[in-house]
Short mmCIF file of all heavy atoms in Angstrom, two decimals:
data_model
loop_
_atom_site.label_atom_id
_atom_site.label_comp_id
_atom_site.label_asym_id
_atom_site.label_seq_id
_atom_site.Cartn_x
_atom_site.Cartn_y
_atom_site.Cartn_z
N VAL A 68 -23.10 -16.89 -3.73
CA VAL A 68 -22.07 -17.56 -2.94
C VAL A 68 -22.72 -18.71 -2.14
O VAL A 68 -22.15 -19.80 -2.04
CB VAL A 68 -21.36 -16.56 -2.00
CG1 VAL A 68 -20.46 -17.28 -1.02
CG2 VAL A 68 -20.57 -15.55 -2.82
N LEU A 69 -23.93 -18.47 -1.66
CA LEU A 69 -24.68 -19.50 -0.94
C LEU A 69 -24.87 -20.73 -1.85
O LEU A 69 -24.68 -21.87 -1.43
CB LEU A 69 -26.03 -18.92 -0.54
CG LEU A 69 -26.75 -19.40 0.71
CD1 LEU A 69 -25.84 -19.40 1.91
CD2 LEU A 69 -27.96 -18.50 0.98
N GLY A 70 -25.24 -20.48 -3.10
CA GLY A 70 -25.45 -21.56 -4.07
C GLY A 70 -24.18 -22.33 -4.35
O GLY A 70 -24.20 -23.52 -4.66
N LYS A 71 -23.02 -21.64 -4.26
CA LYS A 71 -21.75 -22.30 -4.55
C LYS A 71 -21.22 -23.06 -3.36
O LYS A 71 -20.49 -24.03 -3.52
CB LYS A 71 -20.69 -21.26 -4.95
CG LYS A 71 -20.79 -20.81 -6.39
CD LYS A 71 -19.62 -19.89 -6.72
CE LYS A 71 -19.78 -19.27 -8.09
NZ LYS A 71 -19.62 -20.26 -9.17
N SER A 72 -21.54 -22.60 -2.14
CA SER A 72 -20.82 -23.14 -0.99
C SER A 72 -21.68 -23.84 0.06
O SER A 72 -21.14 -24.53 0.91
CB SER A 72 -20.00 -22.03 -0.33
OG SER A 72 -20.81 -20.91 -0.10
N SER A 73 -23.02 -23.70 0.01
CA SER A 73 -23.82 -24.27 1.09
C SER A 73 -24.22 -25.72 0.84
O SER A 73 -24.73 -26.39 1.72
CB SER A 73 -25.10 -23.45 1.29
OG SER A 73 -25.95 -23.60 0.17
N GLY A 74 -24.04 -26.19 -0.41
CA GLY A 74 -24.48 -27.53 -0.74
C GLY A 74 -25.94 -27.57 -1.17
O GLY A 74 -26.49 -28.63 -1.42
N VAL A 75 -26.58 -26.39 -1.24
CA VAL A 75 -27.97 -26.30 -1.70
C VAL A 75 -27.96 -25.40 -2.93
O VAL A 75 -27.40 -24.31 -2.89
CB VAL A 75 -28.87 -25.67 -0.60
CG1 VAL A 75 -30.32 -25.61 -1.05
CG2 VAL A 75 -28.76 -26.46 0.70
N SER A 76 -28.55 -25.86 -4.05
CA SER A 76 -28.48 -25.07 -5.28
C SER A 76 -29.36 -23.82 -5.17
O SER A 76 -30.25 -23.75 -4.33
CB SER A 76 -28.94 -25.91 -6.47
OG SER A 76 -30.35 -26.05 -6.42
N ILE A 77 -29.10 -22.83 -6.05
CA ILE A 77 -29.86 -21.58 -5.98
C ILE A 77 -31.35 -21.84 -6.19
O ILE A 77 -32.20 -21.28 -5.52
CB ILE A 77 -29.33 -20.55 -7.00
CG1 ILE A 77 -27.87 -20.22 -6.68
CG2 ILE A 77 -30.16 -19.27 -6.97
CD1 ILE A 77 -27.24 -19.17 -7.56
N LYS A 78 -31.67 -22.76 -7.11
CA LYS A 78 -33.08 -23.08 -7.36
C LYS A 78 -33.75 -23.61 -6.10
O LYS A 78 -34.84 -23.18 -5.73
CB LYS A 78 -33.21 -24.12 -8.48
CG LYS A 78 -33.28 -23.47 -9.84
CD LYS A 78 -33.74 -24.42 -10.92
CE LYS A 78 -33.89 -23.64 -12.22
NZ LYS A 78 -33.74 -24.47 -13.40
N GLU A 79 -33.08 -24.55 -5.44
CA GLU A 79 -33.64 -25.09 -4.18
C GLU A 79 -33.73 -24.01 -3.11
O GLU A 79 -34.68 -23.98 -2.32
CB GLU A 79 -32.77 -26.23 -3.66
CG GLU A 79 -32.77 -27.48 -4.52
CD GLU A 79 -31.69 -28.46 -4.06
OE1 GLU A 79 -30.53 -28.28 -4.47
OE2 GLU A 79 -32.01 -29.36 -3.28
N LEU A 80 -32.72 -23.12 -3.08
CA LEU A 80 -32.74 -22.04 -2.09
C LEU A 80 -33.99 -21.19 -2.24
O LEU A 80 -34.61 -20.78 -1.26
CB LEU A 80 -31.48 -21.17 -2.23
CG LEU A 80 -30.18 -21.77 -1.70
CD1 LEU A 80 -28.98 -21.01 -2.22
CD2 LEU A 80 -30.19 -21.76 -0.17
N TYR A 81 -34.38 -20.93 -3.50
CA TYR A 81 -35.59 -20.14 -3.74
C TYR A 81 -36.85 -20.92 -3.36
O TYR A 81 -37.86 -20.33 -2.98
CB TYR A 81 -35.65 -19.64 -5.19
CG TYR A 81 -35.00 -18.30 -5.35
CD1 TYR A 81 -33.65 -18.20 -5.65
CD2 TYR A 81 -35.72 -17.12 -5.17
CE1 TYR A 81 -33.03 -16.98 -5.79
CE2 TYR A 81 -35.11 -15.88 -5.31
CZ TYR A 81 -33.77 -15.81 -5.62
OH TYR A 81 -33.17 -14.59 -5.73
N GLN A 82 -36.80 -22.25 -3.48
CA GLN A 82 -37.96 -23.02 -3.04
C GLN A 82 -38.08 -22.97 -1.51
O GLN A 82 -39.18 -22.87 -0.97
CB GLN A 82 -37.85 -24.48 -3.51
CG GLN A 82 -38.15 -24.61 -5.01
CD GLN A 82 -37.56 -25.87 -5.62
OE1 GLN A 82 -37.04 -26.74 -4.91
NE2 GLN A 82 -37.63 -25.98 -6.93
N LEU A 83 -36.94 -22.98 -0.83
CA LEU A 83 -36.95 -22.95 0.63
C LEU A 83 -37.33 -21.57 1.17
O LEU A 83 -38.07 -21.44 2.14
CB LEU A 83 -35.58 -23.35 1.18
CG LEU A 83 -35.11 -24.78 0.90
CD1 LEU A 83 -33.64 -24.94 1.27
CD2 LEU A 83 -35.96 -25.77 1.69
N PHE A 84 -36.77 -20.55 0.54
CA PHE A 84 -36.99 -19.16 1.00
C PHE A 84 -37.48 -18.33 -0.18
O PHE A 84 -36.71 -17.58 -0.79
CB PHE A 84 -35.68 -18.58 1.56
CG PHE A 84 -35.06 -19.38 2.66
CD1 PHE A 84 -34.07 -20.33 2.39
CD2 PHE A 84 -35.44 -19.19 3.99
CE1 PHE A 84 -33.50 -21.08 3.41
CE2 PHE A 84 -34.87 -19.92 5.01
CZ PHE A 84 -33.90 -20.87 4.73
N PRO A 85 -38.76 -18.44 -0.51
CA PRO A 85 -39.25 -17.92 -1.79
C PRO A 85 -39.04 -16.42 -2.00
O PRO A 85 -38.90 -15.98 -3.12
CB PRO A 85 -40.75 -18.25 -1.75
CG PRO A 85 -40.89 -19.33 -0.74
CD PRO A 85 -39.81 -19.10 0.26
#
Side-chain angles (χ1 to χ4, degrees):
Chain A
V68 171
L69 210 49
K71 279 186 187 291
S72 50
S73 68
V75 182
S76 74
I77 298 183
K78 272 194 175 154
E79 292 170 276
L80 285 164
Y81 270 90
Q82 285 158 7
L83 296 169
F84 304 94

